[in-house]
Amino acid sequence: MKDIVDLYSRMIIAVLGFVAPAITLLIGIFTDGIDKHRKRNVEKVKHLDNLMLQSHKKIKGQNKDSRNTVLETFKKHNLQKLKAQRDINLLSPKRQVIRIFGSLILSVIMILVYYILRLPNFKSDLWLFKSLSLGCSLFLFGYSVFCLWQIFCIIIDLKAIESREYFNSLPLEEKGREDE
């Protein structure tokens, strides 16, 4: 068990020292795409808010069938709004750095607590606290890996959008040349 925890703690340090900074630096490369995508999502949220407000006004004085259809569209708009708001949050570099590095540092702290509780000075009946600190560390590490995965997926999406926009902005003669 000791070897597994040692290997796990080294893996956390590796992610904290190399992988997380590398992926967060990738965010800086696509700042134009991030800004465009964020502006689109903010406009989309505003538009969906207006549609939801209009559909809320339509509900008054309607019969049940039309009220149900309006409520269904209201729910669809709400889901789209939540997705756009999530994308806005994912495109905030400051928020993502705090999420990733905060959870990784807390994971390291929980591993340190585990190692401190394993010292010979402490009683051996602290197995609950040892397993709790190790479990919290595993959860926080998993959360940080999930955050890194979300950022990686957003970067891939932004790169695809950027390349699509570049291709669409080319004159027709150059588009034919790139296909060959």
Side-chain angles (χ1 to χ4, degrees):
M1 179 70 176
K2 180 183 174 190
D3 293 336
I4 293 172
V5 174
D6 286 341
L7 183 64
Y8 167 67
S9 64
R10 289 179 186 175
M11 188 170 60
I12 292 174
I13 298 297
V15 169
L16 183 63
F18 179 71
V19 176
I23 290 193
T24 53
L25 287 175
L26 282 175
I27 294 174
I29 293 173
F30 300 107
T31 54
D32 294 336
I34 289 173
D35 289 339
K36 287 179 188 177
H37 200 63
R38 185 182 299 136
K39 287 177 185 176
R40 281 188 205 142
N41 282 331
V42 168
E43 290 174 11
K44 187 176 183 178
V45 166
K46 288 179 184 177
H47 179 68
L48 288 170
D49 280 339
N50 288 336
L51 288 175
M52 289 168 53
L53 184 63
Q54 290 172 0
S55 65
H56 181 68
K57 290 178 182 177
K58 287 180 184 178
I59 290 176
K60 296 177 183 175
Q62 298 270 337
N63 61 10
K64 280 191 175 186
D65 293 335
S66 60
R67 185 178 291 177
N68 288 338
T69 58
V70 171
L71 284 175
E72 288 177 20
T73 58
F74 183 81
K75 289 177 185 178
K76 289 178 185 176
H77 291 321
N78 196 27
L79 288 174
Q80 290 175 350
K81 179 185 170 189
L82 290 174
K83 185 184 179 308
Q85 191 63 44
R86 184 187 68 105
D87 285 347
I88 291 170
N89 290 337
L90 284 175
L91 293 172
S92 171
K94 187 184 294 186
R95 186 172 192 267
Q96 296 309 316
V97 168
I98 290 171
R99 281 176 67 199
I100 292 168
F101 287 103
S103 60
L104 283 172
I105 289 171
L106 285 174
S107 180
V108 169
I109 289 171
M110 295 310 290
I111 284 291
L112 289 174
V113 167
Y114 173 80
Y115 279 125
I116 289 172
L117 290 175
R118 282 192 45 215
L119 290 174
N121 298 343
F122 288 97
K123 295 179 182 178
S124 63
D125 60 346
L126 295 174
W127 63 270
L128 178 65
F129 294 112
K130 291 178 193 176
S131 59
L132 187 63
S133 66
L134 190 59
C136 286
S137 176
L138 283 168
F139 174 76
L140 289 167
F141 181 69
Y143 176 73
S144 66
V145 169
F146 175 72
C147 293
L148 286 169
W149 178 255
Q150 283 182 322
I151 290 173
F152 189 67
C153 290
I154 286 289
I155 289 171
I156 290 172
D157 290 343
L158 289 176
K159 181 62 181 163
I161 290 169
E162 192 175 283
S163 65
R164 221 178 308 128
E165 286 177 355
Y166 172 73
F167 186 74
N168 289 337
S169 69
L170 289 176
L172 289 176
E173 307 89 40
E174 290 183 29
K175 285 182 185 178
R177 283 187 224 145
E178 287 190 10
D179 289 340
E180 295 172 356

